[in-house]
Amino acid sequence: MRYLFSLIFLFSMGFSGLQAQTDSVLFKNENLLIGEIKSMDRGILVIETPYSNVDFKIDWKEIKRISSSVNYLITLSDGRRFNGSFRSVSDSSVLINSYIPDNILKIGSKAKNIEEVGASGVEVPIGSIVYLNALDEGFWSRLSLFFDAGVNFTKANDLRQFTFNSGVGYLADRWKTNLNFNNLRSTQSKTDPIKRTELAYSFNYFLPKDWFVLYNLNMLSNTEQLLDLRASNMVGIGKYLIHTNQTYLGFQGGVNLNNEKFSTDPSSSQTAESFLAAQYNIYDIGDLDLLSTVTAYPSLSTKGRVRSDIKFDIRYEFKFDLYFKISTSINYDNKPTEGASKTDYIFQTTIGWKL
C-alpha cells in the first residue's frame, strides 16, 4: 500500500508539472515537446521543461507546429513587430493574437491579458518569424550581457598583452539600446606601451518595414594614431535589407560630429562627417557566428579626408553560453595628425560568456 501511494504522488506531481507547462512544439518527425518557450533568436528556439536541468535549444526549421498562450515580443522578417501569443493553424502558418503595448519600459513581470486590451489575429508563415521573447518574464528577459577576455605572453621580446570586452543591451517593444566597452593593453621590451580603449553606445528606434532611426555615441583613445580622445555623435537612419533565421544584412547612414584631441596638439578640434555603414551577420552554420561591419566617414569639414572602420568577428559557441571568439578591428585615416600612423589594427582571441 505504501508503494501504491508513492506512485500516485509521483504521478500527480509529474502531471501537475506538465499542466503548468502550456507551450507545445511538434517536430517534423512527429515528436512532441511540452514545456515553457523562453525565446527564439537567430533560428534557435529555447524551451524549458520540467524534466531537464538545462533548457532545450531547437532548430526553428525542424518545427512543424507550435503553440503558446504566453505573450511574446514577436518580430517578422518583413520588419513587422507584434506583442501577443501565437499558435499554429497549419503546418506552414501561425496565427498571432496581437495587442498594442502600453509600457515604454516593462519592469514588472505581469503582462495584460490579450482579451483586456483588444486582440486581433494575424496569420503569417512560420518561417517569417525571426524573433520571440517572452514578455511575462519582465525586465531581465529583455536584457542581454556578454564579456570576454584574452591574455598573450611571449618570452622572446617580453610581450604582455591583455584584452577585455564587455557589453550590455536592452530590447523594448519598439526600440533597443546597447553599451559596449573594449580595452587593450600591451607592453613590450624596448617599445612604448600600446593602449587602446573604446566605449560605444547605440540607440535604435524601430519603424515599419524594417527601417529604424539611430543615435550612436563612440569614444576612442588610441596611442598608435596619437589619439587622446575622439568623441563621435552619430545621427541617422538605417534599414535591414535581409532579416531571416539564417542571416541579416543592414545599412545605415547619416551625419557624424567629432570632437578630436591628439597628444601632439594641446587643443581639440571639431569636425563634421557623413557616414555610411553596412553590417552582415551569418548564424545558420552550426555553432559558428560570423559578423562583419564596414563604416566609411567622408569628411564634410576637411577637404579630401576619409576615415573608415572595419570589424570582423568569428564566434564559436560552447555549452553553458560560453564561447571562443576571434576578432579583428581596423581603423584608417588618410589624413592623420602629424607623426601618427594612417592605419591601426588589433587582432584578438578571447574566451567569454553571454546571457
Side-chain angles (χ1 to χ4, degrees):
M1 182 65 67
R2 183 180 59 183
Y3 295 110
L4 177 60
F5 280 118
S6 298
L7 287 174
I8 293 174
F9 175 77
L10 291 174
F11 177 81
S12 63
M13 288 296 291
F15 181 78
S16 63
L18 288 176
Q19 286 291 96
Q21 308 297 321
T22 58
D23 305 339
S24 63
V25 177
L26 179 65
F27 295 89
K28 292 181 178 179
N29 62 7
E30 301 301 330
N31 287 335
L32 179 65
L33 183 63
I34 304 296
E36 181 182 351
I37 296 173
K38 311 294 288 187
S39 64
M40 193 279 286
D41 190 19
R42 301 185 179 186
I44 301 297
L45 179 79
V46 179
I47 182 170
E48 179 184 350
T49 65
Y51 41 81
S52 176
N53 292 328
V54 296
D55 295 341
F56 285 94
K57 294 185 178 181
I58 303 166
D59 191 335
W60 186 254
K61 299 193 301 295
E62 299 302 317
I63 296 175
K64 183 178 181 180
R65 285 176 175 254
I66 189 168
S67 176
S68 177
S69 59
V70 176
N71 294 333
Y72 291 85
L73 174 61
I74 306 170
T75 303
L76 304 184
S77 58
D78 61 7
R80 286 183 292 171
R81 288 174 168 80
F82 300 94
N83 294 70
S85 62
F86 58 88
R87 61 180 176 87
S88 290
V89 293
S90 71
D91 293 350
S92 59
S93 61
V94 172
L95 181 66
I96 300 174
N97 297 308
S98 64
Y99 69 94
I100 299 173
D102 59 352
N103 290 335
I104 295 178
L105 181 65
K106 182 175 174 60
I107 301 296
S109 60
K110 294 183 178 180
K112 286 189 175 181
N113 187 281
I114 294 175
E115 286 75 18
E116 295 177 356
V117 292
S120 61
V122 180
E123 187 173 337
V124 300
I126 189 171
S128 68
I129 299 176
V130 296
Y131 183 83
L132 296 170
N133 197 16
L135 297 178
D136 289 349
E137 297 299 317
F139 175 83
W140 295 106
S141 68
R142 296 169 176 241
L143 198 69
S144 60
L145 175 69
F146 79 89
F147 63 88
D148 54 67
V151 180
N152 294 321
F153 295 99
T154 303
K155 181 179 180 181
N157 51 9
D158 196 25
L159 173 65
R160 301 172 184 269
Q161 180 175 294
F162 174 75
T163 301
F164 178 77
N165 306 300
S166 63
V168 61
Y170 182 82
L171 177 64
D173 296 329
R174 294 293 178 264
W175 55 268
K176 70 174 182 179
T177 185
N178 292 279
L179 180 65
N180 295 329
F181 176 76
N182 178 281
N183 183 262
L184 181 143
R185 293 289 186 269
S186 179
T187 60
Q188 188 174 340
S189 60
K190 300 180 181 179
T191 62
D192 294 331
I194 297 174
K195 299 179 182 179
R196 189 181 191 278
T197 303
E198 184 175 12
L199 181 68
Y201 170 78
S202 65
F203 176 86
N204 291 356
Y205 187 85
F206 302 120
L207 302 174
K209 304 295 184 181
D210 253 353
W211 288 90
F212 58 91
V213 293
L214 65 93
Y215 170 74
N216 294 343
L217 173 62
N218 296 330
M219 295 185 178
L220 175 65
S221 176
N222 187 346
T223 56
E224 181 68 16
Q225 294 182 308
L226 304 181
L227 185 62
D228 283 347
L229 179 64
R230 175 187 289 134
S232 303
N233 290 272
M234 305 166 64
V235 180
I237 191 168
K239 177 176 175 58
Y240 293 109
L241 296 184
I242 301 174
H243 195 178
T244 70
N245 287 314
Q246 295 78 41
T247 183
Y248 77 76
L249 173 64
F251 290 90
Q252 53 187 252
V255 295
N256 178 33
L257 300 179
N258 279 330
N259 191 310
E260 296 177 313
K261 173 69 172 62
F262 294 96
S263 58
T264 56
D265 189 349
S267 61
S268 60
S269 60
Q270 290 75 40
T271 60
E273 301 171 321
S274 60
F275 73 89
L276 179 64
Q279 187 173 75
Y280 186 50
N281 192 191
I282 307 175
Y283 35 80
D284 187 31
I285 44 179
D287 294 321
L288 279 178
D289 188 333
L290 278 66
L291 174 64
S292 58
T293 305
V294 179
T295 309
Y297 304 90
S299 179
L300 301 176
S301 56
T302 305
K303 185 177 180 179
R305 185 187 182 189
V306 178
R307 297 190 304 108
S308 64
D309 295 332
I310 301 174
K311 297 182 179 181
F312 182 71
D313 295 342
I314 302 176
R315 187 174 64 187
Y316 183 84
E317 296 188 3
F318 301 101
K319 292 182 178 181
F320 310 112
D321 296 321
L322 296 172
Y323 63 86
F324 172 74
K325 186 174 71 174
I326 300 174
S327 60
T328 183
S329 178
I330 303 173
N331 304 110
Y332 173 78
D333 187 344
N334 71 334
K335 290 187 176 181
T337 190
E338 184 178 354
S341 173
K342 289 186 177 182
T343 305
D344 178 49
Y345 66 89
I346 58 174
F347 180 82
Q348 302 172 319
T349 57
T350 56
I351 295 177
W353 176 84
K354 66 181 181 67
L355 174 63

